[in-house]
Amino acid sequence: MGETDASRNGHSYDSAEPNAEQDEPPSIGGFTDVKPNQNPTTITATPTAATTSSNSASTTATTSLQQEQEQEQEHHHRLVNRLKEGEKEKSNPIIDYSGSRHDLRPAHCVPVDGLRSIWQTDLQSGLSNSEAAARLARDGPNRIEGAKGLSVWEILLRQVSNSLTLVLVIVAILSFAIQDYIEGGVVTAVILLNIIVGFVQDYRAEQTIQSLYALSAPTCKVLRNGHVDTVRAESLVQGDIVLISVGDVVPADLRLLDGINLSTDEALLTGESLPISKHPEDVFDEPDLPLGDRLNMVYSATTVTRGRGRGVVAAVGSGTEVGKIAAMLRTTRKKVEGASLPARMWYGFRDGMKNVLGLVGTPLQVKLSKFALLLFGLAILLAIVVFSASRWQIDSQVLIYGICVGVAVIPESLIAVLTITMAVGTKAMAKGNVVVRKLASLEAVGGVTNICSDKTGTLTQGRMITRKIYLADESGAVVEGCTDPYDPSSGTISWPGVDSSSSVSSTPVVKKSHMLIRPASLHPFLQAIALCNNSTVSHGKSAADAADTADTESVTTVQTLPVANWTAIGEPTEIALHVFAMRFGQGKADIVQSEGVKMLYEFPFDSSIKIMSVVYQHLDGTRHVYTKGAVEVMLARLAAPEDVKARIAAKADELASEGLRVLCVGRRVLHDDEDAGERNAAETKLRFLGLAGLYDPPRVETLGAVKRCKTAGISVHMATGDHIKTATAIAHEVGILQGGEGDWAVMPAGRFDAMSDAEIDRLESLPLVLARCSPLTKVRMLEAMHRRKAFCIMTGDGVNDSPALKQADVGIAMGKRGSDVAKEAADMVLTDDNFASIVTAIQQGRRLFDNIQKFLLHLLISNIAQVFLLLIGLSFQDASGTSVFPLSPLEILWANLITSSFLAIGLGLEEAQPDILRRPPHDLRVGVFTLDLVRDKMVYGFFMGSLCLAAFSSVVYGPYGGDLGHECNEGYNSTCEVAFRARSTTFATLSFLLLVTSWEVKHFQRSLFDMEPETYKGPLSVFPTVWKNRFLFWAVVGGFVMTFPVIYIPVVNHAVFKHTGITWEWGIVAACVVVYVALFETWKAVKRHVGLGAYARIAAPDDMA
């Protein structure tokens, strides 16, 4: 836009521009502008110098950045052409341009005067009500049709879609079929417990994600029949004329007709960290121009941050850019193109069976489902062995024994214990600011090898600060350690290069800035950035109250963002400048009150000239002009020699190369005969006061979190929509880049997208920093990681991040500033938007993985021991030749479901090992069933099974001579005393060995009597070790106590458990426990001696604890 009469004469519009470069950070170049009184001309996307000044300093300050932009644009266009060849899917509908021919150009390529005929609308009075109604009936409402979160039935189906649950269902059915109602009832109870716990947890998680897909503005102002009406956004149709102003959510994709100082926040779509200035009169040649560069368009769900405008609706509902991305989320898999009907039916059946059997999901889900199928097959095999041993003369006794062996091989409580453990882990995650939407993702996050993180608001604070200043006397200051961008007392200020002989303190770090002895050139600089500023920063009262008392005639209330007790109103860069001035006690209110200045005129920011000025009258009657703006524009207006301008431009380039957004500040005193209301005259012959370099600082926790990730063997990547220099600077600051990396480490998205998959795979490593990313870039990055067998986390907040979140192994959305679509696509949501919370999630995931291994080992030892005992027990036959089982079916279920379940839950609550983040990620191809776990379960299972067999044999063949009675599998009779006493002894031995095992498996290598040498030493260290986990301790005590009533309660022991009370046999039980502990400790000692099962550790950095 050119300079209007209003702006030229100093009038104030809705808002003023506090960030003169926010649409082109950190670049100094821009698009060629068209004056309102000229005919619209076609504008290409190649950046050019925004100023017509011929001085060489300005040119020097822009050349390298222009070349970088041109290169990125070229790469992006080449990619789009390659990907879309043969399938031209335009961002806007194909239009009938000028009413005479079909034009493939989308709306941003058409001049304003050509829009009337495209949508058949009157640009001055809008559509008629009847025409709008007809189009609404034809095209449908302006609403995104999509998923609204998981339904109750979907959550319920997710609980039963795994092989282990299906196996338990089969066991329950068989139990009822043979009229063993007690066993069937117990297994059914286990299934219901698993379903209920999992359903409640998943349902609660869904409730924390409110208002999914609530992206459209509820109402908007539309021009119809020449009148401005407020209508529901759903009723908008193509061709409607919509009016938007600051604070509005754009209701549809609009092609702008006109606007005044209009900017929108498009971070949800493009990833740009700051608002984008709009130019309705611009026209572009490139049909596939990136969304962020379409300066004559505004898009649905974005927010107007400054000014006002008017536009014609170009797309509604699913045709909008937001709608297209939402549609991608509804695509669960790629269509099998060209396949026949039988082939498509087969693919559908195959995918459905995979989902039902749980063969789709996280590594743990898939591994456990495959394991359950293996156990089911093994159970069938063992039943066949039993039937074969009886020569296939299958009566009720043989059938019960066969089912008993099958039940013994299946860990019935595994799925319930796993669900409960994950639910408890979810609560722990919630305390760490992570909402887990899907229980399975809790374990999955512990196995990640790569993190692909957004920058703005995740790695950084999401708010601007003034990082560096450069003053007219060539002194400078640096702000460091700022944790609260709105708090003037947060952080410290250093003055590099200032010696003790100067007028500034030699102390390198100043904590009380207002007490500083400052350079003489600092005061006018602070005065300018405070007075030429429409933001309000306040403490101890609401920002709205503060705004009422501010001395300004045109304050734009863009946002009110409380941080601790400090609040701020205004554009991010203005707030940053104001806070910097307040560090020295020179806030706007302070200056107005102390110096009695009065504002006469304000020349608001104009996107065509990229500067803002104010005129203040001082007590002595002098009138001062304070100006800030883009460096290249300000250089042309400075009253300075060319060599001085060259030094300023060089310094601006230096600051820009550090990823800072650079503003130039100037001032002049008006002569008495000069007209203060004439903008062109006021904004000339300025005296240079300084440069301000601003950026979005990293979070305080980010550096340490990135170091912890690297220590844990996890590669951290940054994928951002920001400029490459800004992204690189932040990456160095947070430790993602450490220097010495090759060219592959930092890459613009245009270059990455232009590479083929083969070229990407040939890279030494994947880029650590990707700048100017599109949704396609992030998805391709994830695909490249998957081809390298990586397991990935993707973080994001915008609608544009949603496809990547869905593609990632674990998608994590931002809770505070994340879009609803992103939250729906994610597996987890960070409530504090903090990267450090991801590290907490990884730590919890690894702890869960370790604990799953512990209780898996415990459960499987029991199952192997039971199978070993029952198979050998086939040789124990009564007088009729019928095998008498050493354990009854209910004894097995009691051991598996009651005794083992609570012990396993206790193991699931074990604290994380101190070195849990100093290990490499576990091998995803192996998963939870590592060689160490498989080897240990076989060894310990053999120990336990052998001792149980020894206990049974000792009773049967000891004093009783091997008399096993008659029909003792069905119930008690006078001949079954020996068999029942032997079963009791075996049951007590199995129960007590399981209790001891729960403490022994707390660590796979260390002895129970020296498990935590860092904390406890000496032979008595076993007591604090077992007491540390209180739940597990009381589970052991409970299991010990409950064994006695099960053995001794009359009727229950004979009719239900098929055993009886014992006396001297307790000596056998005690001996078995002692021998078992000795065998367990011996095997651990062997492992320690030969190094079996010792996992690799990563050396911690020197600065890590």
Side-chain angles (χ1 to χ4, degrees), residues 405-456:
V405 175
V407 169
V409 80
I410 297 172
E412 293 88 352
S413 63
L414 174 58
I415 191 68
V417 171
L418 185 64
T419 302
I420 293 172
T421 302
M422 285 188 169
V424 173
T426 298
K427 291 184 178 180
M429 294 283 279
K431 295 179 181 178
N433 301 311
V434 181
V435 175
V436 180
R437 297 187 63 227
K438 300 174 184 177
L439 278 180
S441 65
L442 180 59
E443 174 274 335
V445 76
V448 298
T449 58
N450 297 72
I451 298 175
C452 197
S453 176
D454 189 19
K455 177 183 73 70
T456 305

Side-chain angles (χ1 to χ4, degrees), residues 952-1013:
F952 187 85
S953 302
S954 298
V955 175
V956 172
Y957 296 103
Y960 301 109
D963 183 10
L964 292 174
H966 180 67
E967 295 183 350
C968 295
N969 289 341
E970 293 185 356
Y972 183 81
N973 60 60
S974 59
T975 66
C976 295
E977 181 70 16
V978 176
F980 273 46
R981 292 179 74 92
R983 280 197 197 123
S984 292
T985 306
T986 306
F987 172 72
T989 301
L990 176 66
S991 297
F992 290 173
L993 295 187
L994 288 176
L995 300 180
V996 173
T997 302
S998 66
W999 280 333
E1000 285 282 4
V1001 298
K1002 283 164 65 74
H1003 200 288
F1004 287 8
Q1005 279 81 34
R1006 292 179 178 177
S1007 167
L1008 175 62
F1009 302 95
D1010 190 26
M1011 194 163 285
E1012 299 185 32

Side-chain angles (χ1 to χ4, degrees), residues 143-371:
R143 182 173 60 240
I144 297 175
E145 299 295 341
K148 301 294 182 182
L150 292 176
S151 68
V152 171
W153 293 109
E154 287 172 322
I155 296 174
L156 186 62
L157 181 62
R158 197 159 69 184
Q159 310 312 312
V160 298
S161 296
N162 62 80
S163 299
L164 198 53
T165 299
L166 296 180
V167 169
L168 291 181
V169 170
I170 294 173
V171 171
I173 292 173
L174 289 176
S175 299
F176 287 121
I178 63 173
Q179 299 182 349
D180 192 342
Y181 300 112
I182 297 177
E183 179 181 336
V186 172
V187 176
T188 302
V190 172
I191 296 171
L192 292 177
L193 175 65
N194 166 56
I195 293 175
I196 292 172
V197 172
F199 177 85
V200 170
Q201 177 58 40
D202 281 5
Y203 183 78
R204 287 178 177 175
E206 285 300 315
Q207 295 303 302
T208 65
I209 315 298
Q210 299 292 327
S211 306
L212 298 176
Y213 279 91
L215 288 174
S216 299
T219 61
C220 61
K221 292 182 179 179
V222 63
L223 182 64
R224 289 179 180 171
N225 291 328
H227 300 286
V228 176
D229 297 322
T230 300
V231 301
R232 291 181 60 84
E234 289 186 356
S235 66
L236 284 183
V237 297
Q238 286 185 321
D240 263 329
I241 307 299
V242 176
L243 284 69
I244 54 177
S245 59
V246 62
D248 288 347
V249 176
V250 179
D253 288 0
L254 307 180
R255 169 59 167 93
L256 292 172
L257 301 175
D258 50 53
I260 297 177
N261 297 326
L262 182 64
S263 286
T264 59
D265 182 355
E266 297 181 351
L268 293 179
L269 279 173
T270 66
E272 284 279 2
S273 57
L274 286 178
I276 305 299
S277 291
K278 296 298 178 179
H279 305 261
E281 69 283 355
D282 284 357
V283 185
F284 303 95
D285 273 343
E286 298 289 343
D288 299 312
L289 194 67
L291 297 182
D293 294 332
R294 300 179 187 181
L295 303 183
N296 55 12
M297 298 286 297
V298 292
Y299 293 99
S300 176
T302 61
T303 304
V304 180
T305 61
R306 184 188 68 244
R308 61 175 182 263
R310 190 168 62 103
V312 60
V313 175
V316 296
S318 58
T320 63
E321 295 300 325
V322 169
K324 292 175 183 177
I325 295 175
M328 293 174 65
L329 298 181
R330 297 195 297 270
T331 304
T332 57
R333 63 180 180 88
K334 295 181 179 179
K335 296 182 179 179
V336 183
E337 298 182 5
S340 62
L341 179 60
R344 291 197 300 271
M345 293 177 63
W346 162 249
Y347 290 135
F349 173 78
R350 182 193 63 183
D351 293 344
M353 288 302 297
K354 282 185 176 181
N355 283 313
V356 170
L357 295 177
L359 299 178
V360 177
T362 67
L364 179 66
Q365 286 178 307
V366 175
K367 288 287 183 182
L368 287 180
S369 294
K370 290 181 178 179
F371 179 63

Side-chain angles (χ1 to χ4, degrees), residues 804-1009:
L805 289 173
K806 189 177 182 182
Q807 179 82 11
D809 298 295
V810 179
I812 300 182
M814 302 299 108
K816 288 184 177 179
R817 57 186 174 83
S819 68
D820 297 322
V821 172
K823 293 174 185 176
E824 163 137 7
D827 301 299
M828 297 180 177
V829 178
L830 301 184
T831 58
D832 61 350
D833 295 5
N834 194 337
F835 182 84
S837 296
I838 300 176
V839 181
T840 301
I842 293 172
Q843 182 175 0
Q844 288 293 331
R846 290 193 175 188
R847 182 190 68 84
L848 179 64
F849 179 85
D850 284 354
N851 291 347
I852 288 173
Q853 281 199 315
K854 292 173 185 178
F855 69 66
L856 261 179
L857 178 60
H858 182 270
L859 294 175
L860 295 178
I861 289 173
S862 174
N863 291 126
I864 291 173
Q866 292 166 22
V867 171
F868 179 83
L869 174 63
L870 292 174
L871 287 181
I872 302 299
L874 288 172
S875 61
F876 297 115
Q877 298 180 345
D878 59 17
S880 64
T882 301
S883 296
V884 178
F885 40 72
L887 289 173
S888 69
L890 262 297
E891 285 177 326
I892 294 173
L893 286 177
W894 181 273
N896 289 352
L897 295 178
I898 306 302
T899 305
S900 292
S901 293
F902 292 103
L903 299 175
I905 293 174
L907 289 170
L909 300 178
E910 279 285 293
E911 295 181 359
Q913 298 292 335
D915 60 350
I916 198 166
L917 287 180
R918 292 183 184 172
R919 313 175 194 166
H922 54 264
D923 191 342
L924 295 170
R925 292 169 295 180
V926 176
V928 71
F929 294 100
T930 61
L931 176 61
D932 193 34
L933 183 142
V934 173
R935 180 173 51 229
D936 283 354
K937 76 177 182 181
M938 299 303 296
V939 171
Y940 298 140
F942 173 76
F943 290 163
M944 183 180 291
S946 299
L947 289 171
C948 289
L949 185 63
F952 187 85
S953 302
S954 298
V955 175
V956 172
Y957 296 103
Y960 301 109
D963 183 10
L964 292 174
H966 180 67
E967 295 183 350
C968 295
N969 289 341
E970 293 185 356
Y972 183 81
N973 60 60
S974 59
T975 66
C976 295
E977 181 70 16
V978 176
F980 273 46
R981 292 179 74 92
R983 280 197 197 123
S984 292
T985 306
T986 306
F987 172 72
T989 301
L990 176 66
S991 297
F992 290 173
L993 295 187
L994 288 176
L995 300 180
V996 173
T997 302
S998 66
W999 280 333
E1000 285 282 4
V1001 298
K1002 283 164 65 74
H1003 200 288
F1004 287 8
Q1005 279 81 34
R1006 292 179 178 177
S1007 167
L1008 175 62
F1009 302 95

